[in-house]
Amino acid sequence: VYGAVYAPKVRRTNVYLSEDEQMALDALAVAEGSTRSDVLRSIIDREMNLTGDADPALDAALADAAGEIAAQARALSESDPDLSIG
Amino acid sequence: VIIVDDHLALLAIAGRLPDLGGGTGPVATTYAFQFRLARALTTSSSSGALTARVVDPLTAVRRVLHPPANRLTVLDPRRSLDQAIAVSGRHRANLLLAELVGAAVQLDASVRVTAPNVGPRWPAVMAAEGVDFATVDA
């Protein structure tokens, strides 16, 4: 299902896996009707927070407000001996 | 690795990093800077700034707490604890600075921060520890 709804541009990469890791990947792939590569990609995406769809509006808003938010972070940390700029 | 402050970290998450003026490798920030950033995002002031830009503040907080690793990674402070403690002892650095310099020493990383986030003693501490350090306009 993962591969059907999300088809990123992929590049061939060789990785060394233990027998247990390969067996686990294959078991999950069979259970999900998927492939070892799809299962591995979904695990990496989940672990690396790459699963969220691209959100250009959120990116633009964060970039636009970054200065304001950074100033707020400084103000909140000003009297904090651990987190102040000093 | 290039370690950045909270301001640059937010720009990295947004995919809008300015030129970091040298330094190579993936962009990372420290736990302390991530904490400062996430805390700021939960305040009414920052929430208001985001709401005005038609963004759900909770979505923004989630993005900062779990940044996409291809844009920004958050360094585990335990990995550089030894170096951070040593820096703290040598320079009477607080947690923010000790973690930053300790991580830079451990990873042989560059440090890039915005000008308002440079403490008066920071350049001297960075120089004493041999850290490639510079400010960046954002």
Side-chain angles (χ1 to χ4, degrees), chain A residues 47-78 80-86, chain B residues 6-7 10-11 13-14 16 32 35-37 39-41 43 45-46 49-50 53 55 59-60 63 66-71 94-96 116-120 122:
Chain A
E47 184 65 24
M48 305 289 178
N49 305 312
L50 304 177
T51 47
D53 292 336
D55 187 344
L58 175 61
D59 287 346
L62 289 178
D64 197 31
E68 232 173 291
I69 292 165
Q72 182 69 9
R74 264 191 307 282
L76 289 170
S77 304
E78 213 165 37
D80 185 329
D82 289 327
L83 297 174
S84 66
I85 296 299
Chain B
D6 41 14
H7 189 164
L10 188 54
L11 291 173
I13 290 168
R16 310 286 171 88
F35 178 89
R36 280 167 47 112
L37 183 55
R39 181 169 64 173
L41 274 170
T43 65
S45 168
S46 295
L50 291 170
R53 290 167 173 89
V55 165
T59 304
R63 189 83 157 157
H66 307 287
N70 58 330
R71 291 186 176 180
N94 70 354
L95 181 64
L96 182 73
N117 280 343
V118 180
W122 285 30

Side-chain angles (χ1 to χ4, degrees), chain A residues 3-78:
Chain A
V5 297
Y6 176 52
K9 189 175 172 187
V10 294
R11 198 162 30 179
R12 185 182 177 88
T13 304
N14 292 321
V15 294
Y16 291 97
L17 299 172
S18 70
E19 200 175 322
D20 284 348
E21 289 163 344
Q22 289 185 38
M23 284 174 64
L25 278 178
D26 290 343
L28 201 52
V30 168
E32 293 183 354
S34 185
T35 65
R36 184 190 285 180
S37 292
D38 281 343
V39 170
L40 195 52
R41 276 200 302 273
S42 71
I43 291 170
I44 290 170
D45 286 355
R46 199 166 54 240
E47 184 65 24
M48 305 289 178
N49 305 312
L50 304 177
T51 47
D53 292 336
D55 187 344
L58 175 61
D59 287 346
L62 289 178
D64 197 31
E68 232 173 291
I69 292 165
Q72 182 69 9
R74 264 191 307 282
L76 289 170
S77 304
E78 213 165 37

Side-chain angles (χ1 to χ4, degrees), chain B residues 44-66:
Chain B
S44 56
S45 168
S46 295
S47 294
L50 291 170
T51 308
R53 290 167 173 89
V54 202
V55 165
D56 172 18
L58 287 178
T59 304
V61 171
R62 270 199 301 275
R63 189 83 157 157
V64 165
L65 291 179
H66 307 287

Side-chain angles (χ1 to χ4, degrees), chain B residues 5 22 29-32 44 56 61 83 112:
Chain B
D5 68 3
T29 196
T30 61
Y31 167 75
S44 56
D56 172 18
V61 171
Q83 290 87 347
R112 298 290 183 266

Side-chain angles (χ1 to χ4, degrees), chain B residues 1-136:
Chain B
V1 177
I2 306 171
I3 306 176
V4 298
D5 68 3
D6 41 14
H7 189 164
L8 294 172
L10 188 54
L11 291 173
I13 290 168
R16 310 286 171 88
L17 259 182
D19 179 8
L20 294 179
T24 54
V27 177
T29 196
T30 61
Y31 167 75
F33 272 127
Q34 186 197 29
F35 178 89
R36 280 167 47 112
L37 183 55
R39 181 169 64 173
L41 274 170
T42 61
T43 65
S44 56
S45 168
S46 295
S47 294
L50 291 170
T51 308
R53 290 167 173 89
V54 202
V55 165
D56 172 18
L58 287 178
T59 304
V61 171
R62 270 199 301 275
R63 189 83 157 157
V64 165
L65 291 179
H66 307 287
N70 58 330
R71 291 186 176 180
L72 180 81
T73 56
V74 180
L75 300 170
D76 183 341
R78 294 170 298 184
R79 299 229 170 143
S80 56
L81 194 54
D82 286 356
Q83 290 87 347
I85 290 168
V87 167
S88 176
R90 279 195 292 272
H91 304 284
R92 298 177 65 82
N94 70 354
L95 181 64
L96 182 73
L97 180 58
E99 187 195 352
L100 177 62
V101 179
V105 169
Q106 198 236 348
L107 296 170
D108 194 20
S110 302
V111 172
R112 298 290 183 266
V113 300
T114 51
N117 280 343
V118 180
R121 297 187 307 117
W122 285 30
V125 172
M126 299 283 179
E129 297 294 335
V131 175
D132 169 30
F133 173 71
T135 57
V136 171

